[in-house]
Amino acid sequence: MLTRRPKIAGKVLLLPIGQIEPSPYQAREEFDEQDIAQLAASILQNGLLQPVSVRRLAPGRYQLIAGERRLRACKLAGLYELPAILCEYEDAQTAALGLLENLQRQALNPFEQAKGIRELIALWGCTQEEAARRLGMAQPTLNNKLRLLSLSREDQNTCLALGLTERHARAALRLPGPERKKALEQMAAQGMSAKQADAYVEKLLSRPPRRRSIPMVRDVRIFINTINRAVRLMVDAGVPASSRRIDGEGYIEYTIKIPTGRSPAGPVLQPPQGPPASPLQHREEALTAQR
C-alpha cells in the first residue's frame, strides 16, 4: 500500500551516477531537451536542491524511483555523483511513486498518464475502482483516461502535435476510426474549444448515411474492347458469333448474336443427294415421262 511509510536505509547518500539505472516503470515518454538543459545549467550554478529517490538492486547497483529529469540534467551537467535517498520499495510501489510524482508535477501528457495507470492496475492486480482509490482519483476520471488508449497511435500523435486536449481526444473517440484523424485536424484548424469539439462531433454523427455508389470505369472503351475480344474468342473457337454496334446520341448500343446450334421449329429440309443433274439429263427424264 502507498500509505505504508517507506523504510529509509540511511541518510541522503552521494551515489555515482553510473550506478543509477532509469526506472523501467517511467510513464513519461518524451522529455523537453531545452528544459533539461536549463535544469542542468541551474544545477551547475546552485547544485541539486532536491535529491532523487532510489532503491538498491544489488551491491553497487541502484534503480531510480523518482527524479528522472534531475538524473538526466545531472548527467548533462557532467556530474560524477548526486545526492539520493535510499528507500525500500517493491515494484508496484516504485511504479506508483513514479507515476504520482509526474501526475503531481503535471509532467505527463494524457496518453502517458493513461498508459501509466494501466501499468499500475496490472502491477497491483486490482480493479479500476481500487486503482482510482489508491491514486486519489474519481473512478469516472480514471475510466475516461483509460479510454484514451482506444485511439490509434497515429491519432494520439496527431492530438499531441496539434496541441489538442484530453477532451478533444475523447470527443473524437465517438467517431468511427477512419474519421477521427480528419476530425482532430478540423478541431485544431478551427481553434475549437472542448465544448465546440463535442458539438462538432455530434453534428458529424447526425448526418444521414451516404448512399453507396457503384464504381464505374470512366473510359467506356475498356468495356467495348472487352466485348470485341469476347466475340473474337468465340469466332476463333469455331462459334460463328457476330456483333452489331449502333452509336446513338449519348449512348452506344451493342447487339451480339451467338448461334446455339438448334434450328427453329418447322420442316427439316434435307440436302440434295448426289451430284446435280445436267440440262441434257433433265431433257431425257422428261421424254421418258411422256412415253
Side-chain angles (χ1 to χ4, degrees), residues 7-8 13 32 73 89 94 117 124 127 156 160 216 226 234:
K7 296 179 181 180
I8 305 300
L13 305 176
D32 189 329
Y89 284 129
T94 301
I117 292 172
W124 286 336
T127 63
Q156 294 178 24
L160 297 176
M216 298 293 293
T226 301
M234 286 187 286

Side-chain angles (χ1 to χ4, degrees), residues 126-183:
C126 66
T127 63
Q128 293 183 10
E129 181 180 3
E130 175 64 15
R133 187 186 65 78
R134 293 191 187 188
L135 293 171
M137 186 182 299
Q139 186 176 355
T141 301
L142 183 142
N143 292 342
N144 283 333
K145 290 185 180 297
L146 291 177
R147 286 180 56 225
L148 296 176
L149 299 179
S150 299
L151 283 174
S152 68
R153 184 69 178 184
E154 182 181 4
D155 291 339
Q156 294 178 24
N157 291 336
T158 299
C159 285
L160 297 176
L162 298 177
L164 298 175
T165 67
E166 179 178 334
R167 283 193 58 187
H168 289 92
R170 288 209 308 269
L173 272 174
R174 300 172 58 196
L175 295 170
E179 299 181 20
R180 291 172 182 171
K181 183 177 180 181
K182 184 177 180 180

Side-chain angles (χ1 to χ4, degrees), residues 180-193:
R180 291 172 182 171
K181 183 177 180 181
K182 184 177 180 180
L184 291 169
E185 291 172 346
Q186 284 297 316
M187 293 176 192
Q190 300 180 25
M192 297 183 191
S193 65

Side-chain angles (χ1 to χ4, degrees), residues 17 36 39-44 71-80:
I17 290 182
I36 298 295
L39 180 57
S42 174
I43 291 173
L44 283 174
L71 178 61
R72 289 178 178 234
C74 287
K75 289 181 178 179
L76 184 61
L79 300 185
Y80 170 74

